Amino acid sequence: MKPNTYSLEEHKISPKSIDPKVLYILEKLQVSGFIAYLVGGGVRDLLLNKKPKDFDIATSAKPEEIKALFSNSILIGKRFRLAHIRFGKKIIEVSTFRSGNIENEELITEDNMWGTPKEDALRRDFTINGLFYDSQDETVIDYVGGYQDIQKKCLRAIGQPYLRFKQDPVRMIRCLKFEARFGLEVEEEARLALVECKADILKSAKARILEELLRMLESGSSAAFFKLMTDHGLLQQLLPTIAQFLEERFGREIYNYLQEADMIHKEPTPLKLKRPILVACLLYPLFEKHLKTHFTDCGKTPHLGQVYDEAHGLIDLAFQTSLHLPRRLKMSAVSILVSQYRITPFAKRKKKAIRVP
Ligand code: ATP
Ligand code: MG
């Protein structure tokens, strides 16, 4: 099958919008005789007129060949082996074209079978993420119909959504992430498959799930994303305490906190809030409710140690059973919850005026 190709006149991606370091890597791979394309999120974002967060490269070079070519690279990953090419603090990911069977429902535990560019496009998750950009002739190469789907604002799985979600349940979170971030219309079959497969999400590695959730807290679309996660029953699987609270009237306060964070992340020169602050945004209204139930409603005022214990207990209850927050992130989120509680005006916490006898 020949792919559809789109010229510069059609796709209008200016090479100036691509990081020069990425263009340098692509060129070095190409002059060394390998095929090398810009892939995935970077191409998608450029076609959607968004500033890409990062650029990924896919190539016919094997990991060891990439390493031999770039002295500033290291090979990482077991499930998914790839090269990190480092330029100071900036890291560019370069992966070898892979193949994958997209027609069975077996959970993927390793994804290291090399393949052709076409096979690599087909094993990706959504058509919008399956496009290649060839910097040599400035064309977009499309094996999966992603170019048209971007024009139509349609989010479509590559292959059968039910099988693709069974193979890798994290794709369900990614589906809602793209819907929230870009306002795309999810094809009906994918939406039905998502609801059918939602319990499978617990089969995926906790670290991968947590990374997707944390990235979404940073995305500027976190409120919409957590709403979609709840509406589709995925949050109930992963963070049941938070999901249940979101169904209560006061629970919706969480969306207000997330919207505040989203506004900061959407500013023209966005300030990037740190992850512990974002975790605290997700938890603070529930934390207030716990303190109210355990102390203020019984006429008690918690002392600082008790406030700390409540914060620890809440994070354990909300996160540690299904996901696992790294210790440093957890400790910083505890401190932020406690500090926020201390600076929240007393009058807001306790509506009744204090009577002096
Ligand atoms: P983001 O903007 O959040 O980085 P992304 O789509 O670029 O979104 P990455 O995790 O950077 O996400 O992945 C890069 C590319 O790898 C994707 O665009 C997609 O083509 C492919 N990919 C990522 N995760 C999966 C997956 N679970 N299954 C299949 N392909 C995937
Ligand atoms: Mg990316």
Side-chain angles (χ1 to χ4, degrees), residues 39-42 44-45 53-56 93 174 177-178 181 215:
V39 288
R44 174 200 69 216
D45 292 351
K53 275 197 307 183
D54 50 28
F55 290 101
D56 297 315
E93 290 191 347
R174 290 176 53 83
K177 135 175 158 168
F178 298 123
R181 251 168 67 185
R215 278 205 219 168

Side-chain angles (χ1 to χ4, degrees), residues 10 13 19 23 56 65 70 81 104 183 199 221 226 232 235 243 250 272 275 307 314 326 330 343 353:
E10 292 166 290
I13 295 177
D19 185 339
L23 294 173
D56 297 315
E65 291 171 323
F70 297 92
R81 193 158 167 73
N104 70 19
S221 307
F226 277 88
H232 289 81
L235 202 70
F250 187 62
K272 207 167 166 230
R275 289 184 165 186
V307 179
L314 174 62
K330 178 181 162 182
I343 60 172

Side-chain angles (χ1 to χ4, degrees), residues 43-56:
V43 184
R44 174 200 69 216
D45 292 351
L46 289 171
L47 289 172
L48 285 165
N49 283 323
K50 310 268 175 202
K51 190 174 182 311
K53 275 197 307 183
D54 50 28
F55 290 101
D56 297 315

